[in-house]
Amino acid sequence: MRKPIGISACLLGTNCRFDGGNCEIPDIHSWPHEWVPVCPEIAGGLPTPRVPAELTRSTNEIISNGSGVINRRREDVSHHFISGSKASLETMKSKGCETVILKSHSPSCGFGLVYDGHFTGKLIERNGIFAQMCVDAGLQVLSSEDMSTFLKVAP
Ligand code: SF4
């Protein structure tokens, strides 16, 4: 029996992005998977739409120090990102998810590459807060940028 797969809710079509939109993967609702959607930023109490935020220091430093996710208004919103990511990870565990597919480049869900903290559109090697927590918990993390790998893992 297939295990349920965790997924960024915006990839399933939920309008939870900072701009009020989504990034629905075409035809995803016809795929034969049980999805467990989460949006760590909404789970952390942020509204939609919301002021965009980026990571201004290493992900592990942000998680351990509780600061460093800064939005365009120069407000530190780390506690929303951290608490929402923790809650979303608990959801993954409680539903038995061993794999998560996460929206690329997001300060929460980005895996491998996120924006560099200066709002210039430049990407750097770093995981988002939720992606890092999933890695640390031993989940298999796949980026929405890499659907071919995902299809090999969970055809
Ligand atoms: S936090 Fe994740 S699930 Fe929520 S909108 Fe951003 S990328 Fe999508």
Side-chain angles (χ1 to χ4, degrees), residues 7-96:
I7 189 166
S8 300
C10 56
L11 296 175
L12 275 184
T14 302
N15 290 327
C16 54
R17 274 175 50 108
F18 72 94
D19 60 1
N22 67 71
C23 324
E24 184 172 339
I25 296 170
D27 297 328
I28 193 161
H29 292 286
S30 66
W31 294 14
H33 302 294
E34 179 188 343
W35 303 111
V36 178
V38 290
C39 177
E41 294 175 25
I42 299 299
L46 289 167
T48 302
R50 55 189 169 277
V51 182
E54 296 190 0
L55 310 186
T56 63
R57 60 202 300 198
S58 84
T59 312
N60 285 330
E61 283 176 340
I62 291 171
I63 293 170
S64 56
N65 295 324
S67 64
V69 187
I70 307 294
N71 69 18
R72 269 194 187 273
R73 290 191 195 136
R74 307 307 303 165
E75 299 161 330
D76 192 308
V77 290
S78 303
H79 64 288
H80 293 292
F81 280 67
I82 294 169
S83 66
S85 292
K86 285 180 178 171
S88 298
L89 181 59
E90 286 309 308
T91 300
M92 297 294 101
K93 289 178 179 171
S94 68
K95 298 286 186 181

Coordinates of all heavy atoms in Angstrom, one line a residue, residues 7-96:
I7 N 2.9 17.3 1.0 CA 3.0 18.3 -0.2 C 2.7 19.7 0.3 O 1.9 19.9 1.1 CB 2.1 17.8 -1.3 CG1 2.4 18.6 -2.6 CG2 0.6 17.9 -0.9 CD1 1.8 18.0 -3.9
S8 N 3.5 20.6 -0.3 CA 3.1 22.0 -0.1 C 1.7 22.3 -0.7 O 1.4 22.0 -1.8 CB 4.1 22.9 -0.9 OG 5.4 22.7 -0.5
A9 N 0.9 22.9 0.2 CA -0.5 23.0 -0.2 C -0.7 23.8 -1.5 O -1.6 23.5 -2.3 CB -1.3 23.6 0.9
C10 N 0.2 24.8 -1.7 CA 0.0 25.6 -3.0 C 0.2 24.7 -4.2 O -0.3 25.1 -5.3 CB 1.0 26.8 -2.9 SG 2.7 26.3 -2.7
L11 N 1.0 23.6 -4.1 CA 1.2 22.8 -5.3 C -0.1 22.0 -5.6 O -0.2 21.4 -6.7 CB 2.3 21.8 -5.1 CG 3.7 22.4 -4.9 CD1 4.7 21.3 -4.5 CD2 4.1 23.2 -6.1
L12 N -1.0 21.9 -4.7 CA -2.3 21.2 -4.9 C -3.4 22.2 -5.3 O -4.5 21.8 -5.5 CB -2.7 20.5 -3.6 CG -2.2 19.1 -3.3 CD1 -2.9 18.5 -2.1 CD2 -2.4 18.1 -4.5
G13 N -3.0 23.5 -5.3 CA -4.0 24.5 -5.8 C -4.6 25.3 -4.7 O -5.4 26.2 -5.0
T14 N -4.2 25.2 -3.5 CA -4.6 26.0 -2.4 C -4.1 27.4 -2.6 O -2.8 27.6 -2.8 CB -4.3 25.5 -1.0 OG1 -4.8 24.2 -0.9 CG2 -4.8 26.3 0.1
N15 N -4.9 28.4 -2.5 CA -4.4 29.8 -2.6 C -3.8 30.3 -1.4 O -4.3 31.2 -0.7 CB -5.6 30.7 -3.1 CG -6.0 30.4 -4.5 OD1 -5.3 30.1 -5.3 ND2 -7.3 30.6 -4.7
C16 N -2.6 29.8 -1.0 CA -2.0 30.1 0.2 C -0.6 30.8 0.0 O 0.1 31.1 1.0 CB -1.8 28.9 1.1 SG -0.9 27.5 0.3
R17 N -0.3 31.1 -1.2 CA 1.0 31.9 -1.4 C 0.9 33.3 -0.9 O -0.2 33.8 -0.7 CB 1.3 31.9 -2.9 CG 2.0 30.7 -3.5 CD 2.1 30.9 -5.0 NE 2.6 32.1 -5.3 CZ 3.9 32.3 -5.8 NH1 4.7 31.3 -6.0 NH2 4.3 33.5 -6.2
F18 N 2.0 33.9 -0.7 CA 2.1 35.2 -0.1 C 1.3 36.2 -0.9 O 0.7 37.2 -0.4 CB 3.6 35.7 0.0 CG 4.2 36.0 -1.3 CD1 4.1 37.4 -1.8 CD2 4.8 35.1 -2.1 CE1 4.7 37.7 -3.0 CE2 5.3 35.4 -3.3 CZ 5.3 36.7 -3.8
D19 N 1.1 36.0 -2.2 CA 0.4 36.9 -3.1 C -1.1 36.5 -3.3 O -1.8 37.1 -4.1 CB 1.1 37.0 -4.5 CG 1.2 35.7 -5.2 OD1 0.7 34.6 -4.7 OD2 1.8 35.6 -6.3
G20 N -1.5 35.4 -2.5 CA -2.9 35.0 -2.6 C -3.1 34.0 -3.7 O -4.3 33.6 -3.9
G21 N -2.1 33.6 -4.4 CA -2.2 32.6 -5.5 C -1.8 31.3 -5.1 O -1.6 30.9 -3.9
N22 N -1.6 30.4 -6.1 CA -1.1 29.0 -5.9 C -0.1 28.7 -7.0 O 0.1 29.4 -8.0 CB -2.3 28.1 -5.8 CG -3.0 27.9 -7.1 OD1 -2.5 27.3 -8.1 ND2 -4.2 28.5 -7.2
C23 N 0.4 27.5 -6.9 CA 1.4 27.0 -8.0 C 0.9 25.5 -8.3 O 1.8 24.6 -8.3 CB 2.8 26.9 -7.4 SG 3.2 28.2 -6.3
E24 N -0.3 25.4 -8.6 CA -0.9 24.0 -8.8 C -0.1 23.3 -9.9 O 0.1 23.8 -11.0 CB -2.4 24.1 -9.1 CG -3.0 22.7 -9.3 CD -4.5 22.7 -9.4 OE1 -5.1 23.7 -9.0 OE2 -5.0 21.8 -9.9
I25 N 0.3 22.1 -9.6 CA 0.9 21.2 -10.6 C -0.2 20.7 -11.6 O -1.2 20.1 -11.1 CB 1.7 20.0 -10.0 CG1 2.8 20.6 -9.1 CG2 2.2 19.0 -11.0 CD1 3.4 19.5 -8.2
P26 N 0.0 20.9 -12.9 CA -1.0 20.4 -13.8 C -1.4 19.0 -13.6 O -0.5 18.1 -13.4 CB -0.4 20.7 -15.2 CG 0.6 21.7 -15.0 CD 1.1 21.5 -13.6
D27 N -2.7 18.7 -13.6 CA -3.2 17.3 -13.5 C -2.9 16.6 -12.2 O -3.2 15.4 -12.1 CB -2.6 16.4 -14.6 CG -3.0 16.9 -16.0 OD1 -4.2 17.5 -16.1 OD2 -2.3 16.8 -17.0
I28 N -2.4 17.3 -11.2 CA -2.0 16.6 -10.0 C -3.2 15.9 -9.3 O -3.0 14.8 -8.7 CB -1.3 17.5 -9.0 CG1 -0.6 16.7 -7.9 CG2 -2.2 18.6 -8.4 CD1 0.5 17.3 -7.1
H29 N -4.4 16.4 -9.5 CA -5.5 15.7 -8.8 C -5.9 14.4 -9.5 O -6.8 13.7 -8.9 CB -6.7 16.7 -8.7 CG -6.4 17.9 -7.8 ND1 -6.4 17.7 -6.4 CD2 -6.1 19.1 -8.0 CE1 -6.1 18.8 -5.8 NE2 -5.9 19.7 -6.8
S30 N -5.3 14.1 -10.6 CA -5.6 12.8 -11.3 C -4.6 11.8 -10.9 O -4.6 10.7 -11.3 CB -5.7 13.0 -12.8 OG -4.4 13.4 -13.3
W31 N -3.5 12.2 -10.2 CA -2.5 11.3 -9.8 C -3.0 10.4 -8.7 O -3.8 10.8 -7.8 CB -1.3 12.0 -9.2 CG -0.5 12.9 -10.2 CD1 -1.0 13.2 -11.5 CD2 0.7 13.4 -10.1 NE1 -0.1 14.0 -12.1 CE2 1.0 14.2 -11.3 CE3 1.7 13.4 -9.1 CZ2 2.2 14.8 -11.5 CZ3 2.9 14.1 -9.3 CH2 3.1 14.8 -10.5
P32 N -2.6 9.1 -8.6 CA -3.1 8.1 -7.7 C -2.4 8.1 -6.3 O -2.1 7.1 -5.8 CB -2.9 6.8 -8.4 CG -1.6 7.0 -9.1 CD -1.6 8.5 -9.5
H33 N -2.3 9.3 -5.8 CA -1.6 9.4 -4.5 C -2.5 10.0 -3.4 O -3.4 10.7 -3.7 CB -0.4 10.3 -4.6 CG 0.6 9.9 -5.6 ND1 1.4 8.8 -5.5 CD2 1.0 10.5 -6.8 CE1 2.2 8.6 -6.5 NE2 2.0 9.7 -7.3
E34 N -2.2 9.6 -2.2 CA -2.9 10.2 -1.1 C -2.0 11.4 -0.6 O -0.8 11.1 -0.2 CB -3.1 9.2 0.1 CG -3.8 9.9 1.3 CD -3.8 9.0 2.5 OE1 -3.7 7.8 2.4 OE2 -4.0 9.5 3.6
W35 N -2.5 12.6 -0.8 CA -1.7 13.7 -0.4 C -2.0 14.2 1.0 O -3.1 14.2 1.4 CB -1.9 14.9 -1.4 CG -1.7 14.6 -2.8 CD1 -2.7 14.5 -3.8 CD2 -0.5 14.4 -3.5 NE1 -2.1 14.2 -5.0 CE2 -0.7 14.1 -4.8 CE3 0.9 14.3 -3.0 CZ2 0.3 13.8 -5.8 CZ3 1.9 14.1 -4.0 CH2 1.6 13.8 -5.3
V36 N -1.0 14.7 1.7 CA -1.2 15.4 2.9 C -0.7 16.8 2.8 O 0.6 17.1 2.9 CB -0.4 14.7 4.1 CG1 -0.6 15.4 5.4 CG2 -0.9 13.2 4.2
P37 N -1.5 17.8 2.5 CA -1.1 19.1 2.2 C -0.9 19.9 3.5 O -1.6 19.8 4.5 CB -2.3 19.7 1.4 CG -3.5 19.0 1.9 CD -3.0 17.6 2.3
V38 N 0.2 20.7 3.5 CA 0.5 21.6 4.6 C 1.0 22.9 4.0 O 1.6 23.0 3.0 CB 1.6 21.1 5.6 CG1 1.0 19.9 6.4 CG2 2.8 20.7 4.9
C39 N 0.7 24.0 4.7 CA 1.3 25.3 4.4 C 1.9 25.8 5.7 O 1.2 26.3 6.6 CB 0.3 26.3 3.8 SG 1.1 27.9 3.6
P40 N 3.2 25.7 5.9 CA 3.8 26.1 7.1 C 3.6 27.6 7.5 O 3.5 27.9 8.7 CB 5.3 25.8 6.9 CG 5.4 24.8 5.8 CD 4.2 25.1 4.9
E41 N 3.5 28.4 6.5 CA 3.4 29.8 6.9 C 1.9 30.1 7.4 O 1.8 30.9 8.3 CB 3.7 30.7 5.6 CG 5.2 30.6 5.3 CD 5.7 31.3 4.1 OE1 5.0 32.2 3.6 OE2 6.7 30.8 3.5
I42 N 1.0 29.5 6.8 CA -0.4 29.6 7.3 C -0.5 29.0 8.7 O -1.1 29.5 9.6 CB -1.4 29.0 6.3 CG1 -1.4 29.7 5.0 CG2 -2.8 29.1 6.9 CD1 -1.7 31.2 5.0
A43 N 0.1 27.8 8.8 CA 0.1 27.1 10.1 C 0.7 27.9 11.2 O 0.4 27.8 12.4 CB 0.8 25.7 10.0
G44 N 1.7 28.8 10.8 CA 2.3 29.7 11.8 C 1.6 30.9 12.0 O 2.1 31.8 12.8
G45 N 0.4 31.1 11.5 CA -0.5 32.2 11.8 C -0.4 33.4 10.9 O -1.0 34.5 11.2
L46 N 0.3 33.3 9.8 CA 0.4 34.4 8.8 C -0.8 34.4 7.9 O -1.4 33.4 7.6 CB 1.7 34.2 8.0 CG 3.0 34.5 8.8 CD1 4.2 34.0 8.0 CD2 3.1 36.0 9.1
P47 N -1.2 35.6 7.5 CA -2.4 35.7 6.6 C -2.0 35.5 5.2 O -0.8 35.5 4.8 CB -2.8 37.2 6.9 CG -1.5 37.9 7.1 CD -0.6 36.9 7.9
T48 N -3.0 35.4 4.4 CA -2.9 35.4 2.9 C -3.8 36.5 2.3 O -5.0 36.5 2.6 CB -3.3 34.0 2.3 OG1 -2.5 33.0 2.9 CG2 -3.0 34.0 0.8
P49 N -3.3 37.4 1.5 CA -1.8 37.6 1.2 C -1.0 38.1 2.4 O -1.6 38.5 3.4 CB -1.9 38.6 0.0 CG -3.2 39.4 0.2 CD -4.1 38.4 0.9
R50 N 0.3 38.0 2.3 CA 1.2 38.5 3.3 C 2.4 39.1 2.7 O 2.7 39.0 1.5 CB 1.6 37.3 4.2 CG 2.2 36.1 3.5 CD 2.3 34.9 4.4 NE 2.7 33.7 3.7 CZ 1.8 32.9 3.1 NH1 0.5 33.2 3.1 NH2 2.2 31.8 2.4
V51 N 3.1 39.8 3.5 CA 4.4 40.5 3.1 C 5.4 39.4 2.8 O 5.7 38.6 3.7 CB 4.9 41.5 4.1 CG1 6.1 42.2 3.6 CG2 3.8 42.5 4.5
P52 N 6.0 39.4 1.6 CA 7.0 38.4 1.4 C 8.2 38.5 2.3 O 8.6 39.6 2.7 CB 7.4 38.6 -0.1 CG 7.0 40.0 -0.4 CD 5.8 40.3 0.5
A53 N 8.8 37.3 2.6 CA 9.9 37.3 3.5 C 11.0 36.4 2.9 O 10.8 35.6 2.1 CB 9.5 36.7 4.9
E54 N 12.3 36.6 3.4 CA 13.4 35.8 3.0 C 14.3 35.5 4.2 O 14.2 36.2 5.2 CB 14.2 36.6 1.9 CG 13.4 36.8 0.6 CD 14.2 37.3 -0.6 OE1 15.4 37.5 -0.4 OE2 13.6 37.5 -1.6
L55 N 15.1 34.5 4.0 CA 16.0 34.1 5.1 C 17.3 34.9 5.0 O 18.0 34.9 3.9 CB 16.4 32.6 4.9 CG 15.2 31.6 4.7 CD1 15.7 30.2 4.7 CD2 14.1 31.8 5.7
T56 N 17.7 35.5 6.1 CA 18.9 36.4 6.1 C 20.1 35.8 6.8 O 21.1 36.4 6.9 CB 18.6 37.7 6.7 OG1 18.3 37.5 8.1 CG2 17.4 38.4 6.0
R57 N 20.0 34.5 7.2 CA 21.1 33.8 7.8 C 20.9 32.3 7.6 O 19.9 32.0 7.0 CB 21.3 34.2 9.3 CG 20.1 33.8 10.1 CD 20.0 34.5 11.4 NE 21.1 34.4 12.3 CZ 21.1 34.6 13.6 NH1 20.0 35.1 14.2 NH2 22.1 34.5 14.4
S58 N 21.8 31.5 8.0 CA 21.7 30.1 7.7 C 20.4 29.6 8.4 O 20.0 30.0 9.4 CB 22.9 29.3 8.2 OG 22.8 29.0 9.6
T59 N 19.8 28.6 7.7 CA 18.6 28.0 8.2 C 18.7 27.5 9.6 O 17.8 27.7 10.5 CB 18.1 26.9 7.3 OG1 18.2 27.4 5.9 CG2 16.7 26.5 7.6
N60 N 19.8 26.8 9.9 CA 20.0 26.2 11.3 C 20.1 27.3 12.3 O 19.7 27.2 13.4 CB 21.2 25.3 11.3 CG 20.8 23.9 10.6 OD1 19.7 23.5 10.7 ND2 21.8 23.3 10.0
E61 N 20.8 28.4 11.9 CA 20.9 29.5 12.9 C 19.5 30.1 13.2 O 19.2 30.5 14.3 CB 21.8 30.6 12.3 CG 23.3 30.3 12.4 CD 24.2 31.3 11.7 OE1 23.7 32.1 10.9 OE2 25.3 31.4 12.1
I62 N 18.7 30.2 12.1 CA 17.4 30.8 12.3 C 16.6 29.9 13.3 O 15.9 30.4 14.2 CB 16.7 30.9 11.0 CG1 17.3 32.0 10.1 CG2 15.2 31.3 11.2 CD1 16.9 32.1 8.7
I63 N 16.7 28.6 13.0 CA 15.9 27.7 13.8 C 16.4 27.7 15.3 O 15.6 27.7 16.2 CB 15.9 26.2 13.3 CG1 15.2 26.2 11.9 CG2 15.3 25.2 14.2 CD1 15.4 24.9 11.1
S64 N 17.7 27.7 15.5 CA 18.2 27.7 16.9 C 18.1 29.0 17.6 O 17.9 29.1 18.8 CB 19.6 27.1 16.9 OG 20.4 27.9 16.1
N65 N 18.2 30.1 16.8 CA 18.2 31.5 17.5 C 16.8 32.1 17.4 O 16.5 33.1 18.1 CB 19.2 32.4 16.8 CG 20.6 31.9 17.0 OD1 20.9 31.4 18.1 ND2 21.4 32.1 16.1
G66 N 15.9 31.6 16.6 CA 14.6 32.2 16.5 C 14.5 33.6 15.9 O 13.5 34.3 16.1
S67 N 15.5 33.9 15.0 CA 15.5 35.2 14.3 C 16.2 35.0 13.0 O 17.0 34.2 12.8 CB 16.1 36.3 15.2 OG 17.5 36.0 15.4
G68 N 15.8 35.9 12.1 CA 16.5 35.9 10.8 C 15.6 35.8 9.6 O 16.1 35.9 8.4
V69 N 14.3 35.5 9.8 CA 13.4 35.5 8.6 C 12.8 36.9 8.6 O 12.1 37.3 9.5 CB 12.3 34.5 8.7 CG1 11.4 34.5 7.4 CG2 12.8 33.1 9.0
I70 N 13.2 37.7 7.6 CA 12.8 39.1 7.6 C 11.9 39.4 6.4 O 12.2 39.0 5.3 CB 14.1 40.0 7.4 CG1 15.1 39.6 8.5 CG2 13.8 41.5 7.5 CD1 14.7 40.0 9.9
N71 N 10.8 40.2 6.6 CA 10.0 40.5 5.5 C 10.3 41.8 4.9 O 11.2 42.5 5.4 CB 8.5 40.4 5.9 CG 8.1 41.5 6.9 OD1 8.7 42.5 7.0 ND2 6.9 41.3 7.5
R72 N 9.7 42.2 3.8 CA 10.0 43.4 3.1 C 9.8 44.7 3.9 O 10.3 45.7 3.5 CB 9.1 43.5 1.8 CG 9.8 42.9 0.6 CD 9.0 43.3 -0.6 NE 9.5 42.6 -1.8 CZ 10.5 43.1 -2.6 NH1 11.1 44.1 -2.2 NH2 10.8 42.4 -3.6
R73 N 9.0 44.6 5.0 CA 8.9 45.7 5.9 C 10.0 45.7 7.0 O 9.9 46.5 7.9 CB 7.5 45.7 6.6 CG 6.4 46.0 5.6 CD 5.1 46.2 6.5 NE 3.9 46.1 5.7 CZ 2.8 45.4 6.0 NH1 2.7 44.8 7.1 NH2 1.8 45.4 5.2
R74 N 10.9 44.9 6.8 CA 12.0 44.7 7.8 C 11.5 44.2 9.2 O 12.2 44.4 10.2 CB 12.8 46.0 8.0 CG 13.3 46.7 6.7 CD 14.1 45.7 5.8 NE 15.3 45.1 6.5 CZ 15.9 44.1 6.0 NH1 15.5 43.5 4.9 NH2 17.0 43.6 6.6
E75 N 10.4 43.5 9.2 CA 9.9 42.8 10.4 C 10.5 41.4 10.5 O 10.5 40.7 9.4 CB 8.4 42.8 10.4 CG 7.7 44.1 10.3 CD 6.3 44.1 9.9 OE1 5.9 43.2 9.1 OE2 5.5 45.0 10.3
D76 N 10.9 41.0 11.7 CA 11.3 39.6 11.8 C 10.1 38.7 12.1 O 9.4 38.9 13.1 CB 12.3 39.5 13.0 CG 13.0 38.2 13.0 OD1 12.3 37.2 13.0 OD2 14.3 38.2 13.1
V77 N 9.9 37.8 11.2 CA 8.7 37.0 11.3 C 9.1 35.5 11.5 O 8.3 34.6 11.3 CB 7.8 37.1 10.0 CG1 7.1 38.5 10.0 CG2 8.6 36.9 8.8
S78 N 10.3 35.3 12.1 CA 10.8 34.0 12.3 C 9.9 33.1 13.1 O 9.8 31.9 12.8 CB 12.2 34.0 13.0 OG 13.1 34.8 12.2
H79 N 9.3 33.6 14.2 CA 8.5 32.8 15.0 C 7.3 32.2 14.3 O 6.9 31.0 14.5 CB 8.0 33.5 16.3 CG 7.1 34.7 16.0 ND1 7.5 35.8 15.5 CD2 5.8 34.8 16.3 CE1 6.5 36.6 15.4 NE2 5.4 36.0 15.8
H80 N 6.8 32.9 13.3 CA 5.7 32.3 12.5 C 6.2 31.2 11.7 O 5.6 30.1 11.6 CB 5.1 33.4 11.6 CG 4.4 34.5 12.3 ND1 3.2 34.3 12.9 CD2 4.7 35.8 12.4 CE1 2.8 35.4 13.4 NE2 3.7 36.4 13.1
F81 N 7.3 31.4 11.1 CA 7.9 30.3 10.2 C 8.3 29.1 11.0 O 8.1 28.0 10.5 CB 9.1 30.9 9.4 CG 8.7 31.7 8.2 CD1 8.1 32.9 8.4 CD2 9.0 31.3 6.9 CE1 7.7 33.7 7.3 CE2 8.7 32.0 5.8 CZ 8.0 33.2 6.0
I82 N 8.9 29.3 12.1 CA 9.4 28.2 12.9 C 8.2 27.4 13.5 O 8.2 26.2 13.4 CB 10.4 28.7 14.0 CG1 11.6 29.2 13.3 CG2 10.7 27.5 15.0 CD1 12.5 30.0 14.3
S83 N 7.3 28.1 14.1 CA 6.2 27.4 14.8 C 5.3 26.7 13.7 O 4.9 25.5 13.9 CB 5.3 28.3 15.6 OG 4.7 29.3 14.8
G84 N 5.1 27.3 12.6 CA 4.3 26.7 11.5 C 5.0 25.5 10.9 O 4.4 24.5 10.6
S85 N 6.3 25.6 10.8 CA 7.1 24.4 10.3 C 7.0 23.3 11.3 O 6.9 22.1 10.9 CB 8.5 24.8 10.0 OG 8.5 25.8 8.9
K86 N 7.2 23.6 12.5 CA 7.1 22.5 13.5 C 5.7 21.8 13.5 O 5.6 20.6 13.5 CB 7.3 23.1 14.9 CG 8.8 23.4 15.2 CD 9.0 23.9 16.6 CE 10.5 24.2 16.9 NZ 10.7 24.9 18.2
A87 N 4.7 22.6 13.4 CA 3.3 22.1 13.4 C 3.1 21.2 12.1 O 2.5 20.1 12.2 CB 2.3 23.2 13.4
S88 N 3.7 21.7 11.0 CA 3.5 20.9 9.7 C 4.3 19.6 9.8 O 3.8 18.6 9.3 CB 4.0 21.8 8.6 OG 3.2 23.0 8.5
L89 N 5.5 19.7 10.4 CA 6.2 18.4 10.6 C 5.5 17.4 11.4 O 5.5 16.2 11.1 CB 7.6 18.7 11.2 CG 8.5 17.5 11.4 CD1 8.8 16.8 10.0 CD2 9.8 18.0 12.0
E90 N 4.8 17.9 12.5 CA 4.0 17.0 13.3 C 2.9 16.4 12.5 O 2.6 15.2 12.6 CB 3.4 17.7 14.5 CG 4.4 18.0 15.6 CD 5.2 16.8 16.0 OE1 4.6 15.8 16.3 OE2 6.5 16.8 16.0
T91 N 2.3 17.1 11.6 CA 1.3 16.6 10.7 C 1.9 15.5 9.8 O 1.3 14.4 9.6 CB 0.7 17.7 9.8 OG1 0.1 18.7 10.6 CG2 -0.4 17.1 8.8
M92 N 3.1 15.7 9.3 CA 3.7 14.7 8.4 C 3.9 13.4 9.2 O 3.6 12.3 8.8 CB 5.1 15.2 8.0 CG 5.1 16.4 7.1 SD 4.4 16.1 5.5 CE 2.8 16.8 5.7
K93 N 4.4 13.6 10.5 CA 4.6 12.4 11.3 C 3.3 11.7 11.6 O 3.2 10.4 11.6 CB 5.4 12.8 12.6 CG 6.8 13.2 12.3 CD 7.4 13.7 13.7 CE 8.9 14.1 13.5 NZ 9.4 14.7 14.7
S94 N 2.3 12.4 12.0 CA 1.1 11.8 12.5 C 0.4 11.1 11.3 O -0.4 10.1 11.6 CB 0.2 12.8 13.1 OG -0.3 13.7 12.1
K95 N 0.6 11.5 10.1 CA 0.0 10.9 8.9 C 0.8 9.8 8.3 O 0.4 9.1 7.3 CB -0.3 11.9 7.9 CG -1.3 13.0 8.3 CD -2.7 12.5 8.4 CE -3.7 13.6 8.7 NZ -5.1 13.1 8.8
G96 N 2.0 9.6 8.9 CA 2.9 8.5 8.4 C 3.6 8.8 7.1 O 4.0 7.9 6.3

